[in-house]
Amino acid sequence: MEHSRGLAAPGPLERRFRLTWALIQSDLYRYAGNVRTASFLRHFLFTPGFKYTTVMRLCGYLRGGRLGKWTLYPPLKLLLLRYRYKYGIAIPEYTRIGPGLFINRFGGVMVNGDAVIGANCNITHGAMLGQLNRGPKAGSPILGDDVFLAAGCKILGRIQIGDRAAVGANAVVTKDVPDDGVVGGIPAKLISNQGSEGYINRRVWPDVRNGFRPFDRNSGAGQK
């Protein structure tokens, strides 16, 4: 499950920009249900989660290019840091994140840069993906696709969170969570196998190497 589907290896500048734009469109679709320019402007101006992730994605794009790294990246990185303190969202631009990231509310969202987040994941205020520096679970969390993180939950160390899993409010997760698992409590324990169904809306196709596509629930395939 350790993957970052839809994240292609760095290539030509134009290809990387198309991939970055597809990721931003995928994020927007999770908020607005469309990728129209008016929706982009509205959410960029008034939705802190989308504003942060858009700047974060662009920072990641510029950081990987020779020219952008020394020109546009520094001021955009400063803007990202400003949003970090303004909105209480700390997700480094080099974090491996699949398409369709949705940040519900804002404040206290802390993600270690070595964490991996799959496609169509929801992160709620107060959630943390933290690193452990020693022990059998040393490292950072790895989230599958369609994962829901409720308010105030903490996932610590190299924990595998399965596809379609849900983590309850204020839970502290120190063990792997299976696909479709629902965990809660301190320490978190498996309480059901109903997963994140109903919490993850407006899903997008996990592979965006050929562009953004909404996910068709009926056929199990993306649509243009």
Side-chain angles (χ1 to χ4, degrees):
M1 187 185 61
E2 185 174 351
H3 55 71
S4 55
R5 281 181 283 179
L7 301 186
L13 191 65
E14 183 179 358
R15 182 184 178 189
R16 290 197 305 108
F17 181 78
R18 287 201 304 266
L19 176 60
T20 301
W21 183 239
L23 290 169
I24 292 173
Q25 286 182 304
S26 299
D27 296 342
L28 176 61
Y29 186 82
R30 296 293 319 286
Y31 289 90
N34 62 73
V35 293
R36 293 193 292 265
T37 301
S39 296
F40 176 87
L41 293 174
R42 182 173 69 254
H43 284 283
F44 188 80
L45 290 173
F46 303 115
T47 306
F50 179 69
K51 179 185 293 187
Y52 186 92
T53 54
T54 297
V55 175
M56 177 195 71
R57 302 273 198 197
L58 291 173
C59 273
Y61 163 71
L62 293 170
R63 187 174 185 263
R66 292 183 179 180
L67 180 61
K69 184 176 182 180
W70 303 109
T71 54
L72 296 177
Y73 171 71
L76 205 63
K77 175 65 173 181
L78 290 176
L79 182 62
L80 186 68
L81 291 175
R82 180 177 183 274
Y83 289 159
R84 172 182 295 188
Y85 296 116
K86 181 177 181 179
Y87 300 124
I89 302 173
I91 307 176
E93 70 275 14
Y94 50 84
T95 309
R96 294 167 59 193
I97 303 174
L101 177 63
F102 181 91
I103 299 178
N104 187 20
R105 312 299 180 191
F106 59 93
V109 176
M110 306 293 171
V111 175
N112 184 271
D114 292 329
V116 177
I117 301 174
N120 299 308
C121 289
N122 284 26
I123 301 180
T124 313
H125 58 281
M128 181 177 76
L129 303 180
Q131 176 178 290
L132 290 181
N133 294 325
R134 63 183 184 183
K137 289 293 185 179
S140 298
I142 300 169
L143 274 59
D145 295 340
D146 305 329
V147 172
F148 177 80
L149 304 183
C153 69
K154 308 292 186 292
I155 304 174
L156 306 173
R158 195 171 184 80
I159 304 298
Q160 302 266 354
I161 306 295
D163 294 338
R164 303 172 303 280
V167 179
N170 297 316
V172 178
V173 184
T174 58
K175 295 181 180 180
D176 294 348
V177 179
D179 292 351
D180 300 297
V182 179
V183 296
I186 306 176
K189 297 180 180 179
L190 186 68
I191 57 179
S192 85
N193 293 309
Q194 295 182 352
S196 61
E197 180 68 27
Y199 290 99
I200 308 296
N201 302 313
R202 299 167 175 166
R203 296 166 60 210
V204 300
W205 196 245
D207 189 344
V208 294
R209 286 173 294 184
N210 294 318
F212 150 78
R213 290 183 296 168
F215 191 88
D216 181 2
R217 178 187 295 272
N218 295 323
S219 67
Q223 289 182 335
K224 288 290 183 182

